Amino acid sequence: MTGDWQELAANSAGAGALGILGRLLAMAHSDRRPLGWSLLWEVPTAIGMGLIGKGIAVHLGLSVWPEYALTIAVAYVGPRVIDLALAAARKRLGVER
């Protein structure tokens, strides 16, 4: 039983770390200051995006390195781009909110 929790904690920590890496890459390519109040919002966003990326990778059944790459990529694009992509898909499919 404790092994399950340890594995879950390790996977979650890894996903969070990859999410932080992805958001750091995004911040490196932006014109915002890297340190400031916005950093308080970036940390939970990065962890959340890492967990979402990990979930997508597990759902797709990716192996280790593609899983890492997808997790970092999802964190890099962030929630704004994902929201825009979903809105465009809904519009294309004719689905109302």
Side-chain angles (χ1 to χ4, degrees):
M1 184 75 155
T2 59
D4 293 340
W5 285 105
Q6 289 173 343
E7 183 179 348
L8 178 64
N11 285 334
S12 298
L18 291 172
I20 289 172
L21 177 62
R23 293 309 299 157
L24 285 173
L25 289 170
M27 288 175 63
H29 290 108
S30 73
D31 43 347
R32 291 186 301 161
R33 294 182 330 175
L35 298 176
W37 288 108
S38 65
L39 190 60
L40 291 175
W41 295 111
E42 285 293 332
V43 173
T45 300
I47 293 170
M49 295 310 297
L51 292 172
I52 291 169
K54 171 79 172 176
I56 294 170
V58 167
H59 178 73
L60 295 175
L62 299 178
S63 61
V64 176
W65 288 106
E67 180 181 307
Y68 293 166
L70 180 68
T71 303
I72 292 170
V74 167
Y76 178 81
V77 297
R80 171 113 173 97
V81 173
I82 293 171
D83 187 45
L84 292 173
L86 289 175
R90 277 194 303 268
K91 184 176 180 182
R92 176 175 275 186
L93 296 172
V95 176
E96 294 293 324
R97 254 188 161 191

